[in-house]
Amino acid sequence: MFHMFKSGACLTRDVGVGWRSVATSLNYDRIRRLVHGILAGDRGALSRAITLVESTKREHHLESREILSQVLYETARKDTVPPKTFRVGITGPPGAGKSTLIEALGKHLTAQNKKVGVLAIDPSSAVSGGSLLGDKTRMMDLSTSPNAFIRPSPTRGVLGGVSAYTFDVLCLTEAAGFDITLIETVGVGQSETVVGDIADVLCLVVPPGGGDQLQGIKKGIVEVADLVAVNKADGPFLHAARNTAKDYRDALHLLRPRSDDWTPEVVLVSAIENKSIDKLWEKLEEFQKVMNKKGIIEARRRHRRSEWLWSQLKEELITCVIQEEPLVHALLEKLRAKVILGEMTPRAAAEEIVQQMIKK
Ligand SMILES: Nc1nc2c(ncn2[C@@H]2O[C@H](COP(=O)(O)OP(=O)(O)OP(=O)(O)O)[C@@H](O)[C@H]2O)c(=O)[nH]1
């Protein structure tokens, strides 16, 4: 069923030692069990595999790589064009009701026997060790559904950057049969770009606001949103929510749509009262249908994978080759003084270092 295991010998990173060839003794029994489990849709196996992806231990990192390679071998064979999986990015300011909306949307989908994964991208954790998204224990109802898989954000920086990490986790959840993935992030700083990179569709969730509704929400997020959900359209907030929806419709009208095939829309919802969640899903599905018909989702995914290869390669080269290379350190010491004193430009110094490395 599975392709051959790679040999135990491989080139890997050993933190503080540099690149070297090591005869690894990976736990192949565990790898085999987890791969079987994931492909059979076992949530426990999926959780354990993700923990290996998150781990900074070298052997865990290698095990997760082996698991991913076997899992991808299987899923790639069954992959269809257009893809049957759908990656929905949910972003918005803190307190907009993203988690409540994800729970409502998740329940709407699991009730239809759809399998839903929920992932969180938390840029704050990588930088400060804190967590913007907090723990996701709020999605209590959804987490008890066998059709749902909820994974809280990592609590520390992960090797290779947030998008590379989330992409690995996404591959695993999809391999376990969770065809719809809701990817949540707080719309601040870089995070919406990351979720925009990973998701097929980006839904911006905003609360009703008085006066300047777009205040505090960066224009950049609105520009990349495919849908805007104005949440909390209930009780005393209903009137304000309607006004906010109008403001967003006007704002979107002035912006050039991201794609000629889709004009972003604004939907009024109430996550708490479960109002118009079906309408929101209809819109998301419509987006999926329109974009898949033109092959746009698959084309975007392919393009991104290729882009990530470059960014990962650069990152790996910097962290594993350049920073570990004694020659680079020696040259850096020598040339840094010249650069600081203005005797040499940083570009010339960098070129000199690279030339010396190539000659070596
Ligand atoms: N009235 C009303 N309140 C809501 C609705 N959805 C969420 N809330 C409330 O808004 C607050 C924030 O909701 P969350 O779901 O935690 O919002 P969030 O965007 O995930 O917040 P962060 O995790 O801080 O980014 C909570 O007190 C919710 O009960 C809604 O549809 N109507």
Side-chain angles (χ1 to χ4, degrees):
M1 181 182 176
F2 305 119
H3 67 128
M4 288 298 292
F5 287 111
K6 287 182 189 141
S7 87
C10 72
L11 194 66
T12 186
R13 176 178 11 187
D14 198 1
V15 179
V17 176
W19 282 77
R20 58 179 197 170
S21 187
V22 287
T24 51
S25 51
L26 299 186
N27 187 339
Y28 284 109
D29 256 2
R30 172 158 71 181
I31 291 173
R32 204 177 356 250
R33 266 185 286 114
L34 291 182
V35 171
H36 270 288
I38 291 165
L39 294 174
D42 173 4
R43 291 191 297 175
L46 177 57
S47 280
R48 285 192 291 282
I50 295 175
T51 304
L52 293 176
V53 170
E54 283 173 6
S55 175
T56 48
K57 275 196 184 151
R58 181 172 58 94
E59 60 272 28
H60 290 170
H61 182 62
L62 290 177
E63 269 179 49
S64 73
R65 215 161 74 183
E66 187 63 45
I67 290 167
L68 271 159
S69 115
Q70 292 186 32
V71 153
L72 284 178
Y73 177 79
E74 288 303 312
T75 51
R77 286 193 317 162
K78 294 182 206 139
D79 232 8
T80 53
V81 177
K84 64 180 169 65
T85 55
F86 190 31
R87 303 161 183 175
V88 181
I90 311 263
T91 190
K98 297 179 294 296
S99 305
T100 316
L101 185 66
I102 286 175
E103 169 142 59
L105 187 58
K107 276 160 67 185
H108 175 71
L109 297 170
T110 50
Q112 295 170 33
N113 240 352
K114 292 189 160 82
K115 292 190 77 181
V116 181
V118 177
L119 307 179
I121 298 178
D122 190 345
S124 63
S125 59
V127 181
S128 66
S131 177
L132 267 176
L133 292 165
D135 69 80
K136 292 285 126 185
T137 45
R138 282 169 290 170
M139 295 180 203
M140 284 306 273
D141 273 4
L142 186 60
S143 62
T144 58
S145 165
N147 285 335
F149 177 79
I150 301 174
R151 187 73 187 189
S153 56
T155 51
R156 56 182 152 51
V158 281
L159 266 176
V162 181
S163 38
Y165 156 80
T166 310
F167 185 62
D168 285 356
V169 174
L170 183 64
C171 289
L172 292 174
T173 52
E174 288 182 349
F178 296 92
D179 285 341
I180 301 167
T181 311
L182 309 177
I183 310 161
E184 176 184 2
T185 194
V186 181
V188 288
Q190 291 295 306
S191 50
E192 66 276 5
T193 327
V194 175
V195 81
D197 271 354
I198 285 173
D200 300 319
V201 63
L202 189 62
C203 176
L204 171 65
V205 183
V206 291
D212 185 6
Q213 279 80 5
L214 299 179
Q215 189 195 16
I217 296 167
K218 292 211 336 257
K219 192 168 156 265
I221 311 178
V222 183
E223 272 167 0
V224 294
D226 300 298
L227 268 174
V228 176
V230 180
N231 190 29
K232 311 192 185 184
D234 50 49
F237 306 113
L238 187 57
H239 182 68
R242 285 194 181 124
N243 287 338
T244 303
K246 187 186 171 302
D247 284 349
Y248 274 93
R249 280 192 193 104
D250 293 345
L252 287 169
H253 196 68
L254 297 173
L255 293 171
R256 196 171 174 272
R258 225 168 30 121
S259 158
D260 292 339
D261 302 284
W262 182 259
T263 310
E265 289 191 41
V266 179
V267 188
L268 272 171
V269 297
S270 166
I272 272 193
E273 293 188 358
N274 219 12
K275 271 201 303 210
S276 295
I277 302 301
D278 50 349
K279 198 171 156 202
L280 176 66
W281 177 244
E282 261 172 40
K283 286 286 160 209
L284 289 165
E285 262 194 321
E286 192 185 323
F287 176 94
Q288 185 189 25
K289 223 167 120 187
V290 169
M291 296 314 226
N292 269 341
K293 208 169 160 193
K294 298 233 170 176
I296 294 173
I297 290 184
E298 181 60 21
R300 282 184 184 169
R301 285 187 184 185
R302 287 181 183 192
H303 174 73
R304 280 186 221 127
R305 284 185 205 124
S306 151
E307 297 269 293
W308 283 334
L309 173 58
W310 271 114
S311 56
Q312 280 297 285
L313 181 60
K314 279 188 225 156
E315 194 152 338
E316 290 286 323
L317 279 173
I318 290 168
T319 55
C320 304
V321 181
I322 299 177
Q323 285 175 4
E324 304 282 346
E325 174 59 61
L327 176 67
V328 174
H329 286 279
L331 283 169
L332 259 179
E333 279 311 303
K334 205 174 108 193
L335 299 182
R336 186 185 282 127
K338 289 189 173 190
V339 170
I340 290 171
L341 291 174
E343 291 168 10
M344 196 177 194
T345 67
R347 191 171 131 183
E351 275 172 11
E352 168 86 26
I353 294 171
V354 172
Q355 286 306 320
Q356 296 285 339
M357 270 188 79
I358 292 170
K359 271 193 213 151
K360 194 189 168 222

